[in-house]
């Protein structure tokens, strides 16, 4: 248990039996009335974001979420198999838990898996990965005032937009959060 005065960004709380991560918090002391804490909370499993206000000094239950370094091994058709870097224990996670991150997962990619009381909660990829362009059409330079883009399919099967000068077989750096092209690798 902790009080609302102890809140920090990234802290995980248990509210109504569900896990919420503190995204943002602000202590407010109005001129009239008691102080309160305004928070922005993100549901750990679903990703839903809500705003919630607590009275200052209110006790809240905290949860311990272990962030384990794991290596992605392979996809067996339904589940994604990860290996714990310390214990070499293998963990099978369902596709819905991996979510959109699967589009940028290559074998032997180092990821972090959040675990609470033995239950995996989420998979967090590095902010950027280097992938090879598997196929893209040749870029045609035309009458543009700004640089154009074209679709490209990466080795993982993900589709992203890349500049016209890139061709099939080149390695590119991709932002795993939103799928943006960051540059050549």
């Amino acid at each position: 248990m902790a009080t609302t005065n102890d809140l920090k960004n990234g802290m995980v709380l248990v509210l109504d039996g569900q896990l919420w991560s503190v995204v943002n918090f602000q202590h407010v002391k109005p001129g009239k009335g008691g102080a309160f804490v305004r928070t922005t909370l993100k549901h750990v499993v679903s990703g839903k974001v809500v705003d919630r206000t607590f009275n200052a000094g209110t006790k809240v239950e905290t949860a311990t979420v272990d962030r384990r370094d794991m290596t992605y091994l392979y996809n067996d058709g339904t589940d994604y198999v990860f290996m714990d870097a310390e214990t070499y224990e293998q963990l099978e996670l369902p596709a819905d838990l991996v979510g959109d991150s699967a589009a940028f997962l290559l074998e032997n990619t180092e990821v972090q898996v959040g675990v609470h009381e033995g239950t995996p909660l989420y998979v967090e990829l590095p902010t950027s990965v280097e992938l090879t362009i598997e196929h893209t059409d040749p870029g045609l330079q035309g009458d543009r005032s700004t640089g154009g883009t074209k679709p490209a399919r990466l080795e993982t099967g993900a589709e992203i937009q890349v500049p016209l000068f890139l061709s099939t077989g080149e390695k590119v750096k991709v932002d795993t959060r939103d799928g943006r092209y960051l540059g050549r690798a």
Side-chain angles (χ1 to χ4, degrees):
M1 294 292 273
T3 65
T4 53
N5 298 332
D6 301 328
L7 291 181
K8 292 182 176 50
N9 290 345
M11 192 177 224
V12 179
L13 307 176
V14 179
L15 301 173
D16 304 324
Q18 298 184 6
L19 297 175
W20 297 86
S21 175
V22 177
V23 176
N24 194 4
F25 71 97
Q26 177 183 17
H27 290 277
V28 179
K29 175 68 174 108
K32 191 174 185 179
F36 60 91
V37 179
R38 186 178 294 137
T39 62
T40 303
L41 303 173
K42 180 178 181 182
H43 196 271
V44 172
V45 178
S46 68
K48 179 181 174 185
V49 177
V50 297
D51 291 327
R52 183 138 180 206
T53 303
F54 299 96
N55 289 331
T58 305
K59 292 203 178 291
V60 290
E61 187 179 348
T62 59
T64 54
V65 176
D66 298 329
R67 294 167 61 97
R68 297 184 186 168
D69 291 328
M70 295 199 167
T71 304
Y72 170 63
L73 297 178
Y74 61 90
N75 179 358
D76 68 0
T78 57
D79 294 333
Y80 290 85
V81 180
F82 294 88
M83 181 181 67
D84 193 318
E86 293 177 14
T87 63
Y88 301 109
E89 171 186 327
Q90 289 189 6
L91 183 67
E92 293 183 10
L93 301 179
D96 61 335
L97 187 71
V98 177
D100 297 336
S101 302
F104 303 109
L105 267 179
L106 266 182
E107 292 179 0
N108 298 322
T109 301
E110 297 292 326
V111 299
Q112 286 194 331
V113 177
V115 179
H116 172 65
E117 294 178 356
T119 307
L121 300 173
Y122 59 86
V123 175
E124 190 175 293
L125 267 66
T127 54
S128 65
V129 291
E130 293 181 1
L131 299 170
T132 304
I133 296 176
E134 192 174 81
H135 175 74
T136 187
D137 295 327
L140 300 173
Q141 197 62 25
D143 301 333
R144 296 190 186 82
S145 59
T146 61
T149 60
K150 61 183 179 179
R153 187 176 67 245
L154 302 174
E155 60 187 311
T156 59
E159 293 268 339
I160 65 167
Q161 293 292 320
V162 298
L164 294 172
F165 58 83
L166 290 175
S167 60
T168 302
E170 290 192 62
K171 276 185 106 53
V172 293
K173 201 171 193 180
V174 180
D175 189 328
T176 58
R177 296 168 293 193
D178 55 10
R180 279 185 305 123
Y181 164 80
L182 295 175
R184 285 183 170 155

